[in-house]
Amino acid sequence: MDSRFSSNYDPTVDVQPDSAEEDDWEQALEAMRDRQKWKQQGADRLLAAGFSEKEVKKWEKGDAKDESDVKWAKLGEGREWDRGKVVDEDGMVELKPEWGRLT
């Protein structure tokens, strides 16, 4: 303690640089590279297993849904919200299962 109060004391010699900060950065960088490598290998494994390119892209995107996930009905096709609805002779709308109807 007395050495720190002497006239020839240099505080820059007394301080050690904190190497933990550098280690955190290196670990974070390594973790990011590992995740990228894992993701690429996962896509390659899915392609090798027979999944389509479209399914692999969907896997890479994750659970986030956007406008590309909307299935649009073509002209003349039934709409999703009309599935199972049947109009009877009186004009009343009933819900019946698709598998129980004959067309």
Side-chain angles (χ1 to χ4, degrees):
M1 181 95 159
D2 290 335
S3 66
R4 294 187 178 163
F5 291 102
S6 71
S7 60
N8 59 359
Y9 173 68
D10 184 13
T12 59
V13 177
D14 197 23
V15 176
Q16 298 290 328
D18 190 14
S19 63
E21 291 179 16
E22 294 173 15
D23 290 341
D24 288 344
W25 171 254
E26 292 298 323
Q27 288 175 353
L29 186 60
E30 184 178 347
M32 184 187 73
R33 288 179 180 152
D34 287 344
R35 277 193 301 272
Q36 288 175 339
K37 185 177 177 183
W38 175 82
K39 200 171 195 177
Q40 180 60 40
Q41 287 175 345
D44 293 341
R45 286 194 314 259
L46 288 174
L47 286 171
F51 286 90
S52 70
E53 190 72 33
K54 184 178 178 182
E55 292 170 324
V56 171
K57 290 209 183 290
K58 195 172 197 178
W59 173 81
E60 287 176 340
K61 186 173 70 167
D63 289 338
K65 296 194 182 240
D66 60 7
E67 64 275 356
S68 67
D69 293 319
V70 176
K71 181 183 174 197
W72 295 97
K74 294 181 178 64
L75 186 62
E77 287 183 344
R79 296 174 295 201
E80 184 64 26
W81 56 82
D82 289 337
R83 186 169 45 133
K85 294 179 184 175
V86 178
V87 180
D88 63 6
E89 295 84 26
D90 299 329
M92 300 296 291
V93 177
E94 298 178 5
L95 292 175
K96 292 187 179 179
E98 287 287 323
W99 48 268
R101 293 192 320 204
L102 295 175
T103 55

